[in-house]
Amino acid sequence: MKSLMAMLKRYWGVLRRPSVHYSLGVLTLGGFIAGIIFWGGFNTALEATNTEAFCISCHEMESNVYVEIKDTIHYTNRSGVRATCPDCHVPHEWTDKIARKMQASKEVWGKIFGTINTREKFLEKRRELAEHEWARLKANDSLECRNCHDFDFMDFTRQSPRAAQFHSTALAKGEATCIDCHKGIAHRLPDMQGVPGW
Amino acid sequence: MTFRFLPLSLLAVFGLAVAADVNYPLDAPAPDGRRPGGTITQEFTPPPLRDEENKDLRRERNYPEQPPTIPHAIRGYAVDKNANKCLSCHSREASARTQAPMISITHFGDRDGQVLAAVAPRRYFCTQCHVPQHDAKPLVENQFKNIDDLLYRENPATGKQN
């Protein structure tokens, strides 16, 4: 015990002593490089969690929502463009990304406490989870949809008359956003009783 | 003892009779028409899938009681216990906003003729009666004649005058 204290004291001394061998410049540069490495590591970690493989590493995500998306146009289509989970659920802009990731800690909490760890529990909670997503997409004017589907480049003459009619009126005037009309495009819907428009 | 063997021996005789009766090849040719050529077990390349017709033009009905065919695509539309996408456009409340024809009054009546406030349970699953159409050649020719054709054929004189 005594020798351990002595050792710690010695190291503390080394740490406290002003540098003799390295100039201030070198130290600043070192700090700078270390900063870059940490920042990069943070970014890489963020990138790694921004993949579909990561999302479906949790069975809660894989056996409920992932299996459902496989039947939809966002999984297979004639043009072969895939929308993956993070495309629709994690904003692409940096600040938004952090904000969403902070919210995601709630999911880790949910994982630990098993809030949706069975199909029954998931179905029970589905309306609540869906409402969070609807609220988010409503608040950001369906930002994630618009990352791929840009209103400015929609050719109404190429859309079906029904689509063109809605897009050139309610959508163009800003009265409604994508998620108001396109609920349930990627997953099955929860009980829609009382949802406006249903 | 004999009782035990009776059913068995009867079964054997019956089986023999059935086996003896097989004078056609087991892998018979498939009936022409719906699936021309080949035998029943033979696999063909399926014809290409067609898109649902999506022109948004209401089609003529062959008789007044016919459930109209759906003039638009319905891919991915949920119709289940939780949600009914069709009603989000075709219900009474929604039809003004969406300019979709409202489900007719018949859809509100239950089987006792009682008119309900909303769509009757027996009319909830729309695609039981309403189907989209595909731009494909019919597999069998349709010889249906509508009432106007029939009236004309039975009474050409009046038919011509119209």
Side-chain angles (χ1 to χ4, degrees):
Chain A
M1 197 64 207
K2 237 185 191 156
S3 65
L4 185 73
M5 285 303 279
M7 200 175 80
L8 281 179
K9 244 189 186 141
R10 214 169 60 238
Y11 276 114
W12 180 236
V14 171
L15 281 180
R16 263 174 57 105
R17 210 167 11 184
S19 164
V20 198
H21 302 288
Y22 300 104
S23 72
L24 188 64
V26 170
L27 281 181
T28 323
L29 196 69
F32 186 66
I33 290 169
I36 289 180
I37 292 172
F38 277 122
W39 179 250
F42 183 52
N43 228 339
T44 318
L46 215 59
E47 285 308 318
T49 57
N50 213 14
T51 60
E52 186 162 272
F54 170 73
C55 303
I56 60 175
S57 65
C58 280
H59 76 96
E60 283 96 336
M61 299 288 111
E62 190 188 1
S63 49
N64 296 310
V65 273
Y66 179 63
V67 291
E68 289 170 7
I69 200 179
K70 285 185 166 179
D71 295 336
T72 72
I73 191 155
H74 285 104
Y75 193 79
T76 53
N77 54 56
R78 64 200 166 125
S79 32
V81 183
R82 260 272 352 246
T84 60
C85 325
D87 290 329
C88 288
H89 289 296
V90 185
H92 283 200
E93 258 124 65
W94 179 238
T95 44
D96 285 349
K97 216 170 181 173
I98 300 273
R100 175 69 183 89
K101 279 281 162 1
M102 301 293 264
Q103 273 182 6
S105 335
K106 181 169 73 73
E107 296 177 22
V108 179
W109 172 274
K111 175 81 183 171
I112 295 167
F113 289 95
T115 49
I116 54 169
N117 60 1
T118 65
R119 178 77 182 159
E120 288 69 32
K121 281 195 201 166
F122 174 75
L123 292 181
E124 192 106 314
K125 204 159 184 204
R126 178 162 227 178
R127 172 73 178 262
E128 191 191 322
L129 301 180
E131 273 184 359
H132 293 155
E133 286 307 299
W134 294 330
R136 186 178 59 79
L137 285 164
K138 179 76 181 163
N140 70 11
D141 197 13
S142 309
L143 175 68
E144 284 80 17
C145 315
R146 291 176 196 263
N147 280 336
C148 288
H149 298 273
D150 196 327
F151 176 77
D152 292 337
F153 300 101
M154 275 190 185
D155 182 351
F156 293 152
T157 62
R158 285 265 152 217
Q159 289 187 349
S160 65
R162 252 182 344 145
Q165 186 218 321
F166 281 85
H167 293 161
S168 62
T169 53
L171 178 64
K173 280 190 251 152
E175 286 162 7
T177 183
C178 319
I179 197 64
D180 289 322
C181 302
H182 291 293
K183 293 190 177 70
I185 38 133
H187 320 290
R188 301 251 184 80
L189 285 167
D191 189 349
M192 298 298 276
Q193 190 106 46
V195 177
W198 284 79
Chain B
M1 200 63 190
T2 39
F3 263 140
R4 242 211 239 145
F5 281 111
L6 192 64
L8 268 183
S9 47
L10 272 180
L11 199 71
V13 170
F14 182 67
L16 272 180
V18 170
D21 213 18
V22 177
N23 54 1
Y24 51 83
L26 278 175
D27 197 15
D32 277 356
R34 286 189 167 229
R35 186 180 181 276
T39 64
I40 285 173
T41 56
Q42 217 173 331
E43 254 185 56
F44 292 122
T45 339
L49 293 175
R50 308 275 178 162
D51 273 344
E52 288 166 347
E53 231 182 65
N54 197 14
K55 298 205 188 102
D56 287 315
L57 292 173
R58 293 161 78 172
R59 303 186 192 89
E60 185 186 325
R61 301 182 207 179
N62 286 318
Y63 49 95
E65 304 85 359
Q66 183 209 316
T69 51
I70 307 174
H72 53 72
I74 60 164
R75 172 175 53 192
Y77 283 5
V79 181
D80 57 25
K81 182 163 96 15
N82 287 335
N84 189 319
K85 174 88 177 167
C86 313
L87 287 176
S88 74
C89 287
H90 287 283
S91 68
R92 183 188 58 78
E93 315 86 276
S95 66
R97 176 173 49 82
T98 59
Q99 291 297 302
M102 186 188 94
I103 50 170
S104 68
I105 181 67
T106 54
H107 293 55
F108 292 81
D110 69 10
R111 62 180 178 182
D112 303 320
Q114 192 75 38
V115 178
L116 310 176
V119 69
R122 61 177 185 157
R123 294 285 173 112
Y124 185 83
F125 294 102
C126 317
T127 48
Q128 219 178 311
C129 304
H130 298 284
V131 285
Q133 300 289 297
H134 298 254
D135 184 17
K137 205 169 129 284
L139 290 172
V140 280
E141 194 198 342
N142 187 349
Q143 293 176 332
F144 179 85
K145 289 201 172 56
N146 69 26
I147 191 72
D148 301 327
D149 290 342
L150 288 178
L151 285 178
Y152 172 73
R153 206 180 55 194
E154 286 197 344
N155 199 344
T158 53
K160 257 181 211 136
Q161 272 166 12
N162 286 339

